[in-house]
Amino acid sequence: MTIQLRGRGIVPGYAEGEALVSHETISGWGGIDPATGTIIERRHELFGVCFTGKVLVFPGAKGSSGWSGFFQSTRLLGTAPLAMVFTTMTTKAALGAVVTRVPAMSEFDRDPVDVIRTGDWVVVAADQGLLTVTPSS
Amino acid sequence: MRLTDEEKAMLDGAEGPAVAAAMDLLVRYGDALGAERLCETRNVAGTMTQPSPVKAKLVREGGWAKSFSVINLDCDDDIEIPPMRVPTCQLQHGFGDDALGVVPYPPQMVELQGDAESFFGGRGVNILATCTPYQVGNLPVRGEHCAWMESSAVVYCNSVLGARTNCEGTASTGAAALTGRIPYWGNHLPGNRHGTHLIESRVPVDGFLDWGMFGYFVGDLVQEARPVVVGDLRRPDLGDLKHFGAAAASSGGVEIYHLPGTTPEAPTPEAAFGGGRVPEPVVYGERERRRVYETLNNQGTSTDVDFVLLGCPHASLDQIARAARALEGRKLNPGTELWIMTPRALRGVADRSGYTRVIEEAGGRVLTDSCPAMSRSAPAGTRVFATDSAKQAHYLPAILGIEAWFGTLEECVDAAVTGRWRGDLRTVEAAR
């Protein structure tokens, strides 16, 4: 059984892979380590977890204006997520997705953070504005 | 996104490959936001000179032009970088040569940054090297469209100055500098600048410590929304509002607030809400203030302080003068260092006014360009630090893995002189 979400493509493209879901917003500067592709904010629910190669599902971006630069570095260092799926549109998240150059979607008919669970298989069809989720169990 | 004929020509390469790459990034970014068009800007505050391992590698491959192309334009091509099209300044970056021998920071990074200053200065970038460009030569006028980074500067620009900027990033400011354009979205639209929440202080908010704590409360409460603050607020100065906004942009993501009667877009609470209904207030009282104080002070167990940090965001002249007065005729504890961060232009004034001499005779330092959080550098062996900045107390323990105390400038100076943290909110309240 699959679940479909309608949204808006933020960065065009197609990707499919395993979801990593954060229920908390993510910081760039002071929040991730681009060298290893991991969350380093100590009090974060995903502290120490690697997002490289995952469909990163999160409520939005928080913190410093360095957000986009830090996610751009994950691309340059080969540790970027496979795709980005987020709830709330901000300049940080939009520019971050653009310079990470991975398919990205936002502005959904339902909150993806509520619908998707870590480990689910997610198909991101940004050009069609369609997200298809196959629950892992 | 709709482009004007001039913008289409830029995209098609009429002004060279760098401008075309910049316009391409702005189109991708504007489409991502859902913006309908770009707007003109003649005021950009971004970052291009700060060294990093990634940039050092790019500079080895193709000089600072390669670094700017990849990092600031998100472009993979080897292209020449022309002069900036509109006035552009460099925000805070790494430490400079005035920190050599004082700050444990790699000299090769200082040298690399010096090369970058020559390269970008030659292309019309003003090296202000501060998180507070509005203190030293970049003071936007009301309604001006800006493209600024640095969350504490963005909130000051929108709220205190009534100019208009979103919280931009490294690539969008680089592209704006070469095109004089930025997406017309978010805070640029008048209808997106009205208040969303009303917060009323029932306790006096008076002075730097109070404004920082109040900002921290407000940011945590509203997150990315637009607060309007009223109540027992004593007339704030530049330093107070600098601290208030920086704190609200640390505990939350506040980019604009209104202070009716003080900030330019809010002559009254009704005006702050765009003439609409004024909502019921959320109250900031004794209990809320105590809770903020305890949150900012729950990252310390040892009261042995080995580092005191003042000037986040970069200190005003008034703050430097106050620190000098508090340090006059005193000597720092041998195991404790005190740094005050300020823009280099204000450091020059502090030197001429004699403040720097007083601070240095006590054993303190007036440093410029950077801060411990940006450069990930504190005095060697630092385990416990004290600061008068809610923002620095919020970020530095995570960045450097050290303990933190938060209090007044005078309490911080006392800690620097005695080596002990003796700060207490009750003492501060009693002294009012």
Side-chain angles (χ1 to χ4, degrees):
Chain A
M1 201 196 86
T2 61
I3 306 163
Q4 288 199 329
L5 277 75
R6 291 261 160 209
R8 190 165 70 80
I10 301 304
V11 177
Y14 176 96
E16 56 180 292
E18 208 175 282
L20 174 65
V21 181
S22 171
H23 299 87
E24 297 170 7
T25 51
I26 294 175
S27 279
W29 183 77
I32 67 162
D33 175 15
T36 56
T38 51
I39 307 275
I40 56 162
E41 187 178 340
R42 287 172 186 210
R43 283 181 266 202
H44 200 279
E45 63 177 286
L46 295 182
F47 174 68
V49 176
C50 177
F51 51 72
T52 304
K54 299 288 171 64
V55 176
L56 184 59
V57 181
F58 59 109
K62 69 167 176 180
S64 152
S65 56
W67 207 92
S68 55
F70 270 70
F71 273 90
Q72 183 189 49
S73 293
T74 67
R75 170 171 64 77
L76 296 169
L77 295 168
T79 64
L82 182 70
M84 291 165 112
V85 170
F86 54 91
T87 313
T88 305
M89 172 59 70
T90 57
T91 49
K92 286 169 205 160
L95 185 62
V98 165
V99 299
T100 308
R101 298 190 199 163
V102 293
M105 289 182 64
S106 185
E107 298 173 6
F108 291 98
D109 52 2
R110 274 177 294 168
D111 189 343
V113 172
D114 290 341
V115 176
I116 306 171
R117 295 178 185 202
T118 293
D120 290 354
W121 192 259
V122 180
V123 178
V124 183
D127 297 8
Q128 287 76 42
L130 192 64
L131 197 73
T132 307
V133 184
T134 308
S136 60
S137 57
Chain B
M1 219 172 34
R2 282 180 285 115
L3 298 184
T4 64
D5 289 345
E6 188 184 12
E7 289 158 2
K8 280 181 201 149
M10 286 191 217
L11 185 63
D12 292 340
E15 299 191 33
V19 173
M23 190 53 76
D24 177 67
L25 184 275
L26 289 176
V27 169
R28 286 189 281 143
Y29 172 44
D31 282 340
L33 288 169
E36 292 182 0
R37 64 178 178 89
L38 302 171
C39 61
E40 294 193 24
T41 176
R42 287 185 42 77
N43 191 325
V44 179
T47 185
M48 41 203 97
T49 51
Q50 178 162 28
S52 69
V54 170
K55 279 193 206 167
K57 179 167 171 283
L58 292 168
V59 171
R60 279 197 301 275
E61 289 168 10
W64 280 99
K66 177 82 179 177
S67 168
F68 188 88
S69 178
V70 171
I71 306 285
N72 295 94
L73 300 178
D74 195 44
C75 168
D76 301 327
D77 303 335
D78 281 306
I79 49 180
E80 287 293 314
I81 303 303
M84 303 298 128
R85 183 187 181 95
V86 294
T88 298
C89 70
Q90 167 66 40
L91 292 161
Q92 76 277 20
H93 54 181
F95 279 105
D97 53 11
D98 59 333
L100 286 172
V102 177
V103 177
Y105 184 74
Q108 63 271 26
M109 299 268 268
V110 173
E111 193 181 338
L112 191 58
Q113 183 166 286
D115 290 345
E117 289 183 20
S118 301
F119 181 89
F120 292 108
R123 282 157 182 78
V125 177
N126 299 315
I127 310 294
L128 298 186
T130 176
C131 48
T132 63
Y134 49 87
Q135 290 202 103
V136 288
N138 185 350
L139 194 71
V141 297
R142 184 170 172 189
E144 180 172 0
H145 292 291
C146 301
W148 281 22
M149 291 181 69
E150 170 52 38
S151 62
S152 73
V154 165
V155 66
Y156 195 95
C157 182
N158 281 311
S159 313
V160 182
L161 305 177
R164 297 176 187 181
T165 183
N166 289 314
C167 195
E168 294 299 344
T170 313
S172 60
T173 51
L178 286 187
T179 59
R181 300 292 192 282
I182 198 76
Y184 185 66
W185 190 85
N187 299 326
H188 291 284
L189 283 72
N192 289 342
R193 299 175 62 82
H194 301 139
T196 54
H197 295 63
L198 184 68
I199 298 100
E200 179 181 342
S201 180
R202 300 261 169 93
V203 290
V205 175
D206 188 9
F208 200 75
L209 180 90
D210 273 333
W211 280 101
M213 289 197 293
F214 190 37
Y216 204 77
F217 172 81
V218 167
D220 186 49
L221 179 77
V222 310
Q223 291 298 306
E224 273 79 35
R226 302 185 292 268
V228 177
V229 295
V230 297
D232 192 358
L233 310 177
R234 309 296 162 87
R235 174 64 62 184
D237 64 13
L238 181 154
D240 297 331
L241 292 184
K242 172 163 71 71
H243 193 197
F244 174 82
S250 297
S251 58
V254 174
E255 295 177 11
I256 180 169
Y257 64 84
H258 299 292
L259 186 50
T262 298
T263 57
E265 293 175 53
T268 63
E270 290 73 21
F273 286 96
R277 195 181 65 84
V278 175
E280 283 299 307
V282 175
V283 170
Y284 175 72
E286 294 282 354
R287 199 182 44 180
E288 288 76 17
R289 178 168 63 186
R290 166 64 56 184
R291 201 175 297 142
V292 170
Y293 186 83
E294 285 169 358
T295 299
L296 288 167
N297 275 304
N298 76 356
Q299 309 175 94
T301 50
S302 168
T303 54
D304 293 334
V305 173
D306 33 33
F307 176 40
V308 171
L309 189 277
L310 305 173
C312 166
H314 279 176
S316 67
L317 281 174
D318 181 47
Q319 290 174 280
I320 300 172
R322 275 182 56 201
R325 275 200 297 280
L327 283 163
E328 182 130 42
R330 301 169 86 183
K331 288 280 180 209
L332 297 197
N333 176 57
T336 309
E337 289 200 40
L338 179 146
W339 297 355
I340 303 176
M341 307 305 312
T342 196
R344 202 177 290 193
L346 295 189
R347 155 85 198 229
V349 181
D351 291 353
R352 292 180 78 173
S353 308
Y355 307 143
T356 309
R357 184 181 49 76
V358 171
I359 291 163
E360 288 182 346
E361 279 175 3
R365 300 285 188 170
V366 181
L367 294 166
T368 67
D369 289 25
S370 191
C371 75
M374 283 297 294
S375 292
R376 308 177 83 87
S377 298
T382 295
R383 291 180 308 107
V384 183
F385 96 114
T387 182
D388 65 346
S389 163
K391 177 175 183 172
Q392 201 77 203
H394 176 89
Y395 278 116
L396 203 56
I399 290 174
L400 292 182
I402 59 179
E403 297 183 13
W405 296 106
F406 167 76
T408 64
L409 180 146
E410 287 73 19
E411 286 172 334
C412 289
V413 166
D414 176 78
V417 169
T418 64
R420 289 266 185 282
W421 182 253
R422 300 189 294 191
D424 189 332
L425 185 58
R426 280 164 301 189
T427 316
V428 177
E429 285 167 346
R432 271 187 226 283

